[in-house]
Amino acid sequence: MKNLFGFLAIVTGLACASPVWAQDTSRAQRNSNITDSSRKQPDTIRRGRGLLRELFADSGKLTASDFQLQIEKTYLILNKVGSRSELGLPIKLIKQKLTDTDSMLAVLKDNVLNNSAALNLRNLQVFKTLLLNIQAESNEDRQVLDSAENRLIDLRNSMKVLVGDTIMRQIWRDSLLRQQFSPQLKGMRESFRGATKKLKESLAKINHFQTQVSSNIIITSQLLDRVNALLSTSAARIFGKEHNYLWERDTTSLSARARSSMKKAYAGEKKALHYYFKDSNHKRLFLLLIGVVFLVWLLRNIRTVRRLNAMDSISHFSFEYLPNNYIVAAFIMMFAIAPLFDLHAPSAYIESMQLLMLVILTVICWRKWPRRLFVYWIAMVVLYICFSFTHHMADPGFWQRNFLILLNILSVAFGMLFLSQMQQKLPLRNFLRSVIILHNIMNIVGVLCNILGRVSLAQILGSSAIFGFTQAIGLAVFSKICMEAILLQIVASRLRRNVHSPMNFEPVLAGFRRPVLFLVVILWLIVFATNLNIYTSALGVLGDLLTHQRSIGNATFTIGGVLLFFFIIWIAHLLQKYVGYFFGDTGNDDETHNKGQRSRLLIARLILLCVGYLLAVAASGVPVDKITIVLGALGVGIGLGLQNIVNNFVSGIILIFDRPLQIGDVVEIGDKSGRVREIGLRSSTLITGDGAEVIIPNGDVLSQQITNWTLSNNQKRIELDLSITGSNDMELVTNTVKKAILESGFIYENREPSVLFTGITDNGVELKVFYWCVDVNKTGAAKSAITVLLFNALKAQGMQLGDKANQLIRVING
C-alpha cells in the first residue's frame, strides 16, 4: 500500500510540474530560435516576411501594372513618331517640282546671263513671268517645308522625353523587371530604332529640300533683277531706230553666232512655256470644272423646256446661240474667262486660249452670222494667224517688212468692213466700235514705225491690235451667251412652276448687262496688256496703288479695300434684287398660289444682303475695333433721332421670320385693306382693290391689329339676306337655294351652305344664307354668280326674289 501511495504521489507531482516544464521548454526554444534568427535567418522566414511587406507596402510604390502602363504609353509615342515621320504627298510633290525647277532655272540662267543680247522684249516678258511664278511657288514650298520641319522637331523632342523617362530607366536597370517584360522591351527596342531612323531620314530630306528651295529663291531674285534691267534697256531700244528706213538699203546682217543665239533664246522660251503648261495643269482642270458646271446648268434648263414642249413658245425670245449650241457655248465661256484664273500667265498661254476660242467661235458663227460678215471674220482669223508668226522674225529684211506692212493694211481694211456689217448682229456695239477704231489706229502707227525702222515696235503694235480685235469679238459673243443663259434660266423656272403669263424680261436682263460688261472690259484689258508686253508692269503698278496703306487720322485703309467694299455691296444688291427671277418668281401681284416660296425668296434676299455686307466689311480690311467705334457713335445717333428707323428695321426682320403676313395675303391693317405686294426691311406695301399702293412702315404694321384673310387658307364666309315670294314651302325653298349655290363653282366642297329662316309671310319667307367661298379674292364674283343662279332657279319654281334680293341685284349690277 505504501508503495502504491508513493507511485501515485510521484505521478501527481509530475502531472502538476509538466505545464511548467512545457512552458520553460517552449520559452527556451523560442529564445534559441530568436538567437539563431539574429545570427542567420532561414529562407522560409525571410520569404514569408517579404510577402508580408509586399502585401502591406506603401501604395505610392510602383507596381507591375504601372510599369506595363508606361510601356504602353511608350509604344504609342513610338508608333506616333514612326507614322508621322513619313513625308506626305505635298513633300513628294515638292521633290518632283524641284527637279523641274532646277532644270528650268539652269536654262533661264544660261539665257539671261550668257545670251542676253539675243533676247527680245517678248522673250524677256516670258522669262519674267516664269521667274515670278517660280518665286511665288518657292515661297509657298518653303512654308510647307518649314511646317514639316517644325512637326518633325516636335517629334524629336517627344523622343527626348522618352530617353529621360525614369520609369523606363528603372525597368532597364532592374534585371527582374527586364526579365518580366522581356517581349515588350524587345519590340520596343525595334520600334525605337525604326522610328529614330525614319525621323533622321525625314529631317535630312527636309533640310536638303530647304537648301534647294533657298538656293532657287536666291537665283530667282538675281535673275529677276537682271531681267528687269534688260527690260528697261529693251524698251529704250524698241523706241529707238533698230533698222534703216524702209527706202534705204538694209546693210545689217546677222552672223551665224547671232542666229545661234536667237535660236537658243527661242528654245529657252519654248522650254519655259512647256514648264509653265506642265506646272499649271490644276488651273486648267479647275477651268474645265467650271465649264462642265455651266454646261450642266444649260442642259437642265434646256431639258425642262423640251420636256414641257415649250420650244415653240420661246421662239419669240432673242435666243441666238442657245439652246441649240449649248456645248460650243460652254467652250466659249471657258476660253473667255481663262485669263481670270491665271493673272500671271505668259503671253503664249493667253494666245493659245484665244486661238482655241476663235476656232470655237468660227464654228458657232458659221450659220448664225450673215455670209458677208462671216467672210470678213474668216479674213481676220487668217490675219491673226499671220501676225502670230511675225514674233519669230529674227532678222526682218526688206520683204519681211513689206509683208508686215501689207498685214497692217489688210487688217485696217477688213476691220472697217467688219464694223460696217456687225451693227445689227453683235451686242456691245459701242465697245466693239471703240476697239476697232483703236485697232485701226495701232495698225496705222505700226506702218509708220516700220517705215521709220522701228520694226519691233511695229510687230508689237500690229499683233496687239489684231489680238485685241479678235478677243473683243469673242467677248461680245460671250456676253450674249451669258445673257441668253440667264434668260433661259428665268423661262425654265417659270415653266417648272407652270406659269405661262407674259412677262417683261428686259428690266431683269438690263440689270445684268452692267456686271457682264464690266467683266468683258476686264478680260479684254488683261489680254490686250499681255500682248503689249506691259501687263506685268501695269499689274505691279496697279497692285502698289491699290494695296498701299493710307491713313486719315488714326484710321488706315487701302484704295483696293474701299473699291472691293463697294463692289461686293453692289453685287449683293444686284443679286438680292433679281434672285427671285432665277427661281421662277414672276413679279406678278396676282400670283398668290405659292406664297411660301415667295416668303422663302424674301428670306434669301435678306441673307444675301447680310452676307454681302459682312463680306464687304471683311474684304475691306477695316479693323474690328474701328467698326465698334462707329457702332458706338451710331448707337448715340439711334438714341437721339433714329428710333423710328431702327424700329421699322427690326419690325421688318420680325415680319420676315415670324410671318404674320406673307406676300400675296389679303389683309386688313388698321383702316387699310388690300393684298400684300412687298415686305421690305423698312416698310411694307399693300395694293388695294382700286389699284392704289399703300406704303406702311413696318413698325406701324406690328403695332396695329392685323386681320389676315389668307394666313392658313383662302376661304371666306359670305352672308346673304334674301326675301322670297311665291311659296311658303320651306323645304322647297331650302333645296332650291342650296342647289343654286352649289352650282356656282365658287363654293368650298366640304362645307354645305346654311339656310336660316328669319321670317314668314303670307306669300313668302325671309331667310339668311351662309356659304363659304373657296377664294377670298373672288367673293364679289361669287355673290354675282350666285344671285343670278338664285333668280333663275326660283323663277323656274314659280318663285321670285323679294325687295332685298332685287336691291342686292341692283347693287351688283350698278
Side-chain angles (χ1 to χ4, degrees), residues 243 250 252-255 259 262 392-398 400-401 455 459:
H243 300 270
D250 193 359
T252 61
S253 61
L254 288 179
S255 63
R259 293 183 182 276
M262 289 186 174
H392 308 293
M393 291 191 301
D395 182 25
F398 177 79
Q400 288 87 350
R401 292 171 65 179
V455 181
Q459 291 174 344

Side-chain angles (χ1 to χ4, degrees), residues 746-805:
F746 292 96
I747 307 305
Y748 187 62
E749 297 179 354
N750 296 333
R751 294 189 177 185
E752 186 178 356
S754 299
V755 178
L756 301 178
F757 291 91
T758 58
I760 302 176
T761 62
D762 294 337
N763 193 28
V765 293
E766 294 182 355
L767 63 155
K768 287 182 178 293
V769 180
F770 301 93
Y771 61 90
W772 288 87
C773 181
V774 70
D775 191 347
V776 66
N777 297 302
K778 299 178 180 180
T779 54
K783 286 182 179 181
S784 176
I786 288 173
T787 302
V788 174
L789 289 172
L790 283 173
F791 177 80
N792 295 330
L794 292 173
K795 185 177 180 180
Q797 297 292 335
M799 296 178 282
Q800 61 182 359
L801 294 173
D803 294 337
K804 292 183 179 180

Side-chain angles (χ1 to χ4, degrees), residues 309-345:
N309 298 321
M311 294 297 293
D312 295 335
S313 63
I314 67 171
S315 58
H316 64 281
F317 293 112
S318 57
F319 287 114
E320 186 173 355
Y321 303 102
L322 297 177
N324 295 325
N325 301 299
Y326 53 89
I327 297 178
V328 181
F331 277 108
I332 289 179
M333 192 276 303
M334 282 194 309
F335 296 135
I337 66 173
L340 289 179
F341 292 88
D342 197 348
L343 296 177
H344 296 281

Side-chain angles (χ1 to χ4, degrees), residues 163-433:
V163 173
D165 186 80
T166 56
I167 298 177
M168 295 305 301
R169 285 186 176 183
Q170 185 176 350
I171 296 175
W172 288 107
R173 291 172 180 174
D174 196 321
S175 59
L176 291 177
L177 292 175
R178 285 203 310 271
Q179 184 178 3
Q180 181 179 356
F181 299 106
S182 177
Q184 293 92 329
L185 294 176
K186 183 178 179 181
M188 187 187 302
R189 186 183 296 109
E190 295 176 357
S191 298
F192 184 83
R193 291 175 179 173
T196 305
K197 180 180 178 182
K198 190 176 297 183
L199 183 59
K200 289 181 179 179
E201 292 176 353
S202 298
L203 276 172
K205 290 181 180 179
I206 291 294
N207 293 331
H208 176 66
F209 294 155
Q210 285 176 325
T211 303
Q212 281 187 276
V213 170
S214 298
S215 176
N216 290 342
I217 292 176
I218 295 172
I219 296 174
T220 303
S221 299
Q222 294 174 348
L223 293 178
L224 272 174
D225 293 339
R226 178 61 178 165
V227 167
N228 288 328
L230 291 174
L231 281 173
S232 62
T233 57
S234 296
R237 188 176 68 248
I238 285 176
F239 286 97
K241 185 180 178 182
E242 300 174 293
H243 300 270
N244 293 335
Y245 296 126
L246 188 62
W247 59 84
E248 296 178 345
R249 182 179 178 182
D250 193 359
T251 58
T252 61
S253 61
L254 288 179
S255 63
R257 182 178 179 182
R259 293 183 182 276
S260 176
S261 298
M262 289 186 174
K263 290 181 180 179
K264 184 178 179 181
Y266 175 72
E269 180 184 354
K270 186 177 180 181
K271 187 169 183 179
L273 293 175
H274 176 73
Y275 170 83
Y276 176 82
F277 276 92
K278 181 180 179 181
D279 192 54
S280 59
N281 286 329
H282 62 284
K283 298 177 182 178
R284 289 189 291 276
L285 288 176
F286 186 65
L287 183 63
L288 180 62
L289 177 62
I290 293 179
V292 171
V293 171
F294 184 76
L295 179 62
V296 171
W297 178 44
L298 293 179
L299 275 175
R300 179 174 178 268
N301 293 327
I302 292 171
R303 288 180 179 177
T304 298
V305 175
R306 290 176 177 173
R307 177 171 50 85
L308 298 176
N309 298 321
M311 294 297 293
D312 295 335
S313 63
I314 67 171
S315 58
H316 64 281
F317 293 112
S318 57
F319 287 114
E320 186 173 355
Y321 303 102
L322 297 177
N324 295 325
N325 301 299
Y326 53 89
I327 297 178
V328 181
F331 277 108
I332 289 179
M333 192 276 303
M334 282 194 309
F335 296 135
I337 66 173
L340 289 179
F341 292 88
D342 197 348
L343 296 177
H344 296 281
S347 57
Y349 174 78
I350 299 296
E351 292 171 8
S352 63
M353 293 293 104
Q354 187 174 350
L355 179 60
L356 291 174
M357 185 178 69
L358 296 185
V359 173
I360 299 298
L361 191 62
T362 304
V363 173
I364 197 175
C365 296
W366 179 32
R367 297 183 181 274
K368 301 297 181 181
W369 288 358
R371 185 174 182 81
R372 183 173 295 180
L373 181 64
F374 184 74
V375 170
Y376 297 154
W377 168 252
I378 293 296
M380 298 303 294
V381 172
V382 173
L383 289 173
Y384 174 91
I385 297 173
C386 293
F387 270 107
S388 300
F389 289 104
T390 60
H391 291 296
H392 308 293
M393 291 191 301
D395 182 25
F398 177 79
W399 294 109
Q400 288 87 350
R401 292 171 65 179
N402 280 280
F403 176 71
L404 183 59
I405 292 175
L406 177 63
L407 292 179
N408 293 131
I409 296 173
L410 291 175
S411 184
V412 172
F414 282 106
M416 295 299 296
L417 292 173
F418 191 92
L419 179 62
S420 64
Q421 296 294 322
M422 65 109 189
Q423 297 296 329
Q424 304 299 325
K425 202 61 184 177
L426 288 174
L428 306 180
R429 286 186 287 273
N430 293 331
F431 169 72
L432 291 179
R433 185 180 297 108

